[in-house]
């Protein structure tokens, strides 16, 4: 199922949807190894690999993202 990138990130607890939009616009997010800086980009939760600050974001059942990582971005 495809979902907007900022919503996907927010659902995983990275930050609010609006803050995730800022991270995307700043070029801090990669999808399948490519920097994404366009809002409205959709990702497939099952197939696409999303990276934020060099860490791969896992789906909701494999959550491994740590809030401390955001403080230094």
């Amino acid at each position: 199922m495809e979902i907007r990138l900022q919503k996907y990130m927010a659902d995983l607890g990275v930050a609010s949807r609006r803050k995730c939009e800022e991270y995307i616009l700043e070029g801090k997010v990669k999808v399948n190894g490519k920097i994404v800086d366009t809002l409205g980009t959709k990702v497939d939760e099952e197939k696409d690999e999303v990276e934020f600050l060099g860490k791969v974001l896992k789906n909701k059942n494999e959550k491994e993202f740590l809030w401390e990582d955001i403080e230094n971005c």
Side-chain angles (χ1 to χ4, degrees), residues 41-59:
T41 300
K42 293 194 175 185
V43 295
D44 186 324
E45 297 175 284
E46 308 276 326
K47 298 177 185 175
D48 293 322
E49 181 179 86
V50 178
E51 290 179 53
F52 175 63
L53 299 178
K55 293 198 177 201
V56 176
L57 302 180
K58 305 290 184 177
N59 70 29

Side-chain angles (χ1 to χ4, degrees), residues 18-69:
R18 297 286 184 211
K19 189 65 176 175
C20 289
E21 289 175 353
E22 289 178 28
Y23 293 144
I24 293 167
L25 291 173
E26 292 169 357
K28 295 182 178 181
V29 181
K30 290 184 181 179
V31 176
N32 299 325
K34 296 180 181 178
I35 294 175
V36 174
D37 59 3
T38 305
L39 296 180
T41 300
K42 293 194 175 185
V43 295
D44 186 324
E45 297 175 284
E46 308 276 326
K47 298 177 185 175
D48 293 322
E49 181 179 86
V50 178
E51 290 179 53
F52 175 63
L53 299 178
K55 293 198 177 201
V56 176
L57 302 180
K58 305 290 184 177
N59 70 29
K60 295 171 192 155
N61 298 326
E62 300 174 6
K63 191 172 181 180
E64 290 184 4
F65 194 81
L66 301 175
W67 280 97
E68 298 86 49
D69 297 333

